[in-house]
Amino acid sequence: MQLDSIQILDLTRLLPGPYATQLLADAGADVIKVEDTRTGDYARHMPPMTDRDVGALFDNVNRGKRSIALDLKSSEGRAAFYRLVETADVVFEGFRPGVADRLEIDYETLSEYNDDLIYCSLSGFGQTGPYADRAGHDLNYVGVSGLLDMTREDESAPPQIPGYQISDFGGGLFAAFSIVGGLLSRELGTGGEYIDIAMTDVVASFSQALSYEALTGDDPRPGETALTGAVPWYDVYETADGRYVTFAALEEKFWTTFCEDVGREDLIDVHETDDPAELEAIRAELADLFASRSRDEWLETLGDETVVGPVYTPAEALEHPQFEARGLIERPDDAPPRVGFPAAGPDAPESDDESLPAHGEHTDELLASVGYDETQRAELRDAGVIR
C-alpha cells in the first residue's frame, strides 16, 4: 500500500476531494493542492480553528501535501498547469460539470499533454443526467439517494440529518479507490483514463439491502424492514441513565445467548415471529429490561456474544481503547490529534509528515521543477498569475 512514486494534481477543496487525497497522501503519494490565487481552499478559514491557525477540517485532510497557487482563468496560469500535467500521474477535480471544460483543463485537453494521465471528476450528481448541473451539499445528495427517507423511526417521523457526511466521505473514499484502480489499470497497459464519480451514485450503491424491493415495486419504508426497526431484536434502547445501547440479535444464536444472559429464557422461542402483537410485546419487554440498568452497567454485565453495544458521543468514541489499540488515533507532538489511516497491516501507511501547506507555499518550488526560472516566476507573480 505504497504510492511513493505517484504525483497527484488535486484541484478539489473543502471535504470530499481532500479526504480522498489525504488517504492517498497517507499512502505516500505526492499530492499537490492546486489553489486559486485569492483565498485558496475555503476550509483554511472555516472554524473551529486549530492551534496551527487553520480550520480544523483543513488540518485534518491536508497533511503532508504541497500547495501551488495558480490563476487557471489566465492563459499563463493554464500554461504552467499544463507543464505540471506533463509529469503528473493523476488530475483530480471537484468542480461543477462544465467548469473544467471552460477552464480548458478537461480530460480531453490534458490528455494531449499526458496520454497516461488518470483523470478523476468528483461531483454531486456526476457529469451526465438531468441533475448534473444542480448545486448541492451532502444533505441534498443523501436526500436524492433515498438514504435520508430511511433515516427515521417511521413515516410519521421527520427524516434525521445523519451525524456524519455520508456522501462526502463515501464519495471521497470511492474516488480514492477509483484512482488507485485507474493507476493499476495503467500499469497493466491500458494507458490513461477518465473517471466520473457522482457522490449521489455512491450513496445509492449503499442501498444494496433494500434495492431489490425498491426496484421491483415494493418500496421499502422506514421502520418496516428488519434493519430499520421493524423487529425488536435489532434496535436502539434507552438505559436507566438516559443513554442508549444498540441491540443487534438478528441471528438466533445471538438472541438465545442474550436471553440466557439476562435470565429471560422464556423469550427464546419467539425469535423471528412476525405476529405484530408479539413483536410489540417483545419490544416493550426489552425497553423495560434495558431501562433497568445504566448503559455502562449493561456493557460490564453482558458478554462478547450478546451483541449489545454502546451509543457513544464522538468524544467518547474517539477516546475508546478499541481505537487506541488499533492505532487509529494519532497524537503527534507537533500537530493536533487526529483520526489516522483506517487500515492495519504490515504494509499499512505510516505517514509521519505533519506539515500543512500554506497557501501557495510550494509555488516557486513546483514551477522551478518544470522549467520556470526565477525571472519568469517573478513576472508571473507580478501579473497576479501565481501567488
Side-chain angles (χ1 to χ4, degrees), residues 102-121:
R102 291 196 295 274
L103 291 174
E104 299 178 26
I105 56 170
D106 56 284
Y107 175 66
E108 184 175 347
T109 298
L110 298 189
S111 62
E112 295 178 4
Y113 294 89
N114 183 344
D115 59 7
D116 279 334
L117 188 68
I118 305 300
Y119 189 113
C120 182
S121 294

Side-chain angles (χ1 to χ4, degrees), residues 182-302:
L183 291 168
L184 177 59
S185 295
R186 189 184 69 177
E187 290 302 305
L188 295 174
T190 63
E193 68 175 284
Y194 176 71
I195 303 165
D196 170 15
I197 297 173
M199 289 182 276
T200 311
D201 291 354
V202 175
V203 179
S205 77
F206 295 164
S207 70
Q208 304 298 338
L210 303 174
S211 60
Y212 175 77
E213 291 100 325
L215 293 169
T216 55
D218 186 14
D219 197 10
R221 305 313 306 130
E224 296 181 9
T225 70
L227 298 179
T228 62
V231 294
W233 38 81
Y234 193 89
D235 211 338
V236 178
Y237 291 94
E238 187 172 2
T239 55
D241 55 350
R243 297 183 178 184
Y244 294 88
V245 291
T246 55
F247 180 45
L250 287 174
E251 296 86 352
E252 183 178 357
K253 64 177 182 177
F254 292 129
W255 174 253
T256 299
T257 299
F258 171 77
C259 292
E260 291 173 345
D261 282 354
V262 299
R264 292 302 306 270
E265 290 85 350
D266 58 302
L267 295 177
I268 291 176
D269 292 339
V270 297
H271 190 253
E272 295 295 343
T273 181
D274 57 4
D275 180 83
E278 285 189 329
L279 290 171
E280 184 177 351
I282 296 168
R283 195 183 304 276
E285 292 269 10
L286 291 174
D288 289 343
L289 180 63
F290 282 114
S292 68
R293 301 177 188 175
S294 71
R295 182 195 69 184
D296 292 346
E297 285 173 336
W298 279 113
L299 300 180
E300 293 166 2
T301 302
L302 297 176

